Amino acid sequence: ACGAARVLLMLGANADACWQSLSGSAPVLPAPERLDVPDHAEGMAASIRAAVIQIENDSGIDALLVMLVDQYRVDTAWLRGLLALADAHPQRTVASRHDAVLGAPAVFPRARFAALRALHGDIGARALLRTDDEVIAFPAPHAPGDVDTPEQIPPA
């Protein structure tokens, strides 16, 4: 996971089936930690809050990389570039920019954890990215992909 200290897999609806579907997939190092999000019906903010609560007392973690499961075209090269920019600016939020819009994947420094913990609803951290003048834009190398319905799943 590009040098990550921990990988958290936030699971909501159909958590057991989603977790089991990972069996036999390409290994991720470190191995993902399963974290069920009981209030997942609220939306993306519930997952982000749960992740922050899980890591904020771990002094070894300086930043949180937020990724979306439905962005199937985000690849290792994209993440390496994003994380290199975040490493060069450890006190700043770094967000992917595609079609002039800032969004995930994005890296939030520890200083933004309280703001992430305060999120509510289904918009995730979008408002933080778009109202913070200190966000550094990472030019997305290509469209991230987006799957919201079964019909949008790309062929294997």
Side-chain angles (χ1 to χ4, degrees), residues 69-72 145-154:
V69 69
D70 65 349
Q71 291 183 324
Y72 63 92
D146 185 26
V147 177
D148 295 318
T149 66
E151 295 77 31
Q152 293 174 320
I153 296 173

Side-chain angles (χ1 to χ4, degrees), residues 5 9 12 15 18 20-21 27 34 40 54 58 67 73 83 88 90 95 97 102 105 115-116 124 133-134:
L9 183 59
C18 290
Q20 290 171 5
S21 73
R34 176 181 173 163
H40 63 85
Q54 184 74 15
D58 185 337
M67 297 178 60
R73 294 193 65 219
L83 291 170
R97 183 183 66 225
L102 291 172
L116 291 169
D133 294 336
E134 297 294 312

Side-chain angles (χ1 to χ4, degrees), residues 32-108:
E33 300 172 42
R34 176 181 173 163
L35 189 59
D36 292 350
V37 181
D39 53 348
H40 63 85
E42 175 190 340
M44 288 189 281
S47 292
I48 294 171
R49 272 196 323 269
V52 171
I53 290 167
Q54 184 74 15
I55 66 168
E56 66 187 338
N57 292 325
D58 185 337
S59 62
I61 296 180
D62 298 322
L64 174 66
L65 167 62
V66 174
M67 297 178 60
L68 306 178
V69 69
D70 65 349
Q71 291 183 324
Y72 63 92
R73 294 193 65 219
V74 172
D75 56 19
T76 304
W78 183 328
L79 294 177
R80 283 191 178 125
L82 179 76
L83 291 170
L85 186 57
D87 284 347
H89 303 278
Q91 301 304 316
R92 306 266 301 271
T93 299
V94 177
S96 297
R97 183 183 66 225
H98 181 262
D99 289 338
V101 176
L102 291 172
V107 180
F108 295 88

